[in-house]
Amino acid sequence: MSNVRVRFAPSPTGFLHIGGVRTALFNWLFARHSGGTFILRIEDTDKERSTDEAIQVIMDGMKWTGLDWDEGPIRQIDRLELYREKAMDLFKRGLAYWCVCTPEELETRRKEAQARGESIKYDGRCRNRGISEPTEPAALRFSVPQEGQTVVQDLIKGEIVFENTVLDDLIILRSNGYATYNFSVVVDDGLMNISHVIRGDDHVNNTPRQIPLFEALGLPVPQFAHLPMILGADKTRLSKRHGATSVLAYKEMGYLPEALVNYLVRLGWSHGDQEIFSIKEMVEHFDFKHVQSSAAVFNPEKLKWVNAQYLRNKEPQEVAEALTPFLEAAGYDDAVRARIPGGVEALISPLRERSETLLDFVEGAVPYLVESMEMDEAAATKHLKAAIVPSLQEFADLVEAEPDFSKETLEGLLHGLIERKELKMGKVAQPLRVALTGRTVSPGIYEVMALLGKDRTLQRIRVGVERALKN
RNA sequence: GAUCCCAUCGUCUAGCCUGGUCCAGGACGGCACCCUCUCAAGGUGCAGACACGGGUUCAAAUCCCGUUGGGAUCACCA
């Protein structure tokens, strides 16, 4: 086991966002690539917004995508005392001070400063007051060094330099006694020996605030890798407006977890021209050198394409296993599925080329699942005409008299009929398709018959004939 | 407004570090054709980008500077 220790640290305030999964994925990939440890830490210090359900949803999402963690979930709520101790330690060492400015005062001063066109950072008013035992509500602020620069050697963006004068004395302990995010993160990353902090680049501006804290606390400063954001089609941060952003929503929409992961890994990382990666290949090739430094637009079309690739290349049995819960959810139980000769697995080959998601699959499977199907009226009107009746009739009679129902036999029967009647294949196949499936679009006609079985095939052709007679 | 980040086809990207092999390659999407019992899948082809302006250099997508444009962050949220 290497010294690489990384963490994914979501705050449980809602669902697991697609961007969060990507962050988790890159952490996981780096850990697995380097034989390190991947830690799940829950940042739930905001008691108002954090919920247990959200924690469960995060874990469910990670399990679904296969991102397994080695340690945790560690909850910050269980470590509040620790943060308090570390903060007071800083105070005792003169590196932090009590601030009695109220939130309202601070807000007012920020507005005034902004109105004057000045920096809105904290003015350091309480820094030299030397309050040792506050008698009114007070927050503890960290005295940020104001000289020199803080340099971040980012693994993705390179060197980022911040003048320390732009940094203000951040609050590390709120007046209610709870640690703030920037403080608890540093304490945790330090104490957990995190070697690489891999997070969204919306955190770059937090980094120069955190580095001096590591140093003041005497904790090792990790390396940083700031991942570019995922944007919506309008180039703003991905949000609900852009469609589904919860991972589990993609599960429900019929995406395969490995396809989602594959799409996500290519969003910001590349390995030459390769598009499809097995998990093993991702782990093997992952590196920060090929992580893009600019933001990427989430493209649902390409996700669909990737999903389709997986649907087409997986073992039929595995696709069937993934599909079954969706059929079940659509109300097609065991008994219904048994209507198809060969069962659910028989659906895979004919439908996989025509489906991008498992939901598409269900849609395409309907005619073969139901006992009596719905007829698309427009299709019937167009294709089931009186002129075709003799052909359909004859074909049904031939099939009925023929004990063998194999594709080859069926093909021979239909071709013989077409030649005798001097018809075009399309002239017969299309009415047949409509009679058999109620639709103008389906897998090949012989595959359709195989999925229906002999009885339903005959029965539907007869019904089709009835219908054609009325046209 | 301040700070920081970013900039190759509509989108994801290769190439950039280590200038020439790039009149810029692949993929999604689009279009056309082929295949064909429909729809797909598959095959073939087409359109489509180095944001702009200056340098440096024999030579720049690649290095430097500036401009413009986009994004993120500026809380006793995380």
Side-chain angles (χ1 to χ4, degrees), chain A residues 331-382:
Chain A
Y332 304 115
D333 59 20
D334 281 336
V336 172
R337 299 198 294 269
R339 284 179 187 143
I340 299 171
V344 176
E345 262 192 70
L347 286 169
I348 309 306
S349 171
L351 292 175
R352 73 195 319 184
E353 308 288 314
R354 300 170 170 80
S355 308
E356 292 189 303
T357 67
L358 292 168
L359 245 29
D360 293 342
F361 236 115
V362 173
E363 223 300 293
V366 171
Y368 320 105
L369 289 161
V370 297
E371 194 52 60
S372 61
M373 85 216 162
E374 273 180 47
M375 177 71 73
D376 174 43
E377 283 307 311
T381 308
K382 183 173 179 196

Side-chain angles (χ1 to χ4, degrees), chain A residues 251-387:
Chain A
K251 177 185 181 184
E252 283 164 21
M253 288 188 287
Y255 289 88
L256 263 12
E258 55 270 50
L260 213 218
V261 166
N262 193 145
Y263 174 71
L264 254 17
V265 80
R266 282 286 290 104
L267 207 54
W269 176 79
S270 63
H271 181 67
D273 288 338
Q274 191 169 345
E275 295 287 349
I276 303 297
F277 293 86
S278 66
I279 297 292
K280 193 168 168 258
E281 289 174 309
M282 286 179 210
V283 169
E284 188 183 333
H285 299 306
F286 185 79
D287 61 347
F288 286 114
K289 193 180 172 192
H290 291 93
V291 173
Q292 193 80 357
S293 48
S294 53
V297 173
F298 185 83
N299 183 348
E301 288 300 313
K302 186 149 184 185
L303 204 212
K304 274 191 184 177
W305 176 80
V306 174
N307 202 55
Q309 296 302 309
Y310 276 84
L311 245 22
R312 274 163 217 153
N313 296 115
K314 267 173 96 80
E315 288 301 318
Q317 192 196 332
E318 289 180 287
V319 181
E321 273 166 31
L323 176 61
T324 303
F326 282 84
L327 292 173
E328 195 73 41
Y332 304 115
D333 59 20
D334 281 336
V336 172
R337 299 198 294 269
R339 284 179 187 143
I340 299 171
V344 176
E345 262 192 70
L347 286 169
I348 309 306
S349 171
L351 292 175
R352 73 195 319 184
E353 308 288 314
R354 300 170 170 80
S355 308
E356 292 189 303
T357 67
L358 292 168
L359 245 29
D360 293 342
F361 236 115
V362 173
E363 223 300 293
V366 171
Y368 320 105
L369 289 161
V370 297
E371 194 52 60
S372 61
M373 85 216 162
E374 273 180 47
M375 177 71 73
D376 174 43
E377 283 307 311
T381 308
K382 183 173 179 196
H383 296 284
L384 293 178
K385 294 186 172 147

Side-chain angles (χ1 to χ4, degrees), chain A residues 178-200:
Chain A
Y178 290 104
T180 56
Y181 164 78
N182 272 312
F183 189 66
S184 53
V185 162
V186 171
V187 171
D188 280 343
D189 286 342
L191 259 25
M192 289 173 189
N193 272 309
I194 298 300
S195 60
H196 301 257
V197 169
I198 306 166
R199 71 216 323 186

Side-chain angles (χ1 to χ4, degrees), chain A residues 61-162:
Chain A
M62 290 182 69
K63 280 180 191 157
W64 181 64
T65 45
L67 303 179
D68 56 331
W69 55 95
D70 306 306
E71 292 178 19
I74 293 161
R75 299 184 55 168
Q76 290 192 322
I77 198 101
D78 297 331
R79 299 163 65 85
L80 263 21
E81 208 42 55
L82 176 68
Y83 307 139
R84 219 162 289 167
E85 274 171 34
K86 292 290 173 189
M88 289 315 290
D89 183 48
L90 247 28
F91 172 70
K92 284 178 198 135
R93 287 161 51 213
L95 297 170
Y97 60 89
W98 290 112
C99 171
V100 293
C101 301
T102 65
E104 296 72 32
E105 288 168 2
L106 293 169
E107 179 66 22
T108 313
R109 275 187 258 157
R110 265 196 298 272
K111 277 193 181 135
E112 286 170 0
Q114 192 155 29
R116 288 194 303 267
E118 291 168 15
S119 159
I120 53 173
K121 72 178 212 176
Y122 177 61
D123 57 13
R125 186 167 298 209
C126 292
R127 192 170 191 164
N128 298 311
R129 277 189 179 164
I131 302 168
S132 55
E133 204 74 41
T135 53
E136 52 196 301
L140 198 61
R141 281 186 191 270
F142 175 54
S143 297
V144 180
Q146 290 295 296
E147 319 75 42
Q149 305 172 319
T150 295
V151 179
V152 182
Q153 293 295 344
D154 193 272
L155 260 18
I156 294 167
K157 296 180 188 291
E159 184 175 282
I160 308 171
V161 180
F162 296 86

Side-chain angles (χ1 to χ4, degrees), chain A residues 43-51 77 80 174 176 178:
Chain A
E43 313 235 313
D44 54 356
T45 53
D46 183 349
K47 291 214 282 191
E48 310 299 312
R49 300 197 299 149
S50 302
T51 65
I77 198 101
L80 263 21
R174 292 185 261 254
N176 65 8
Y178 290 104

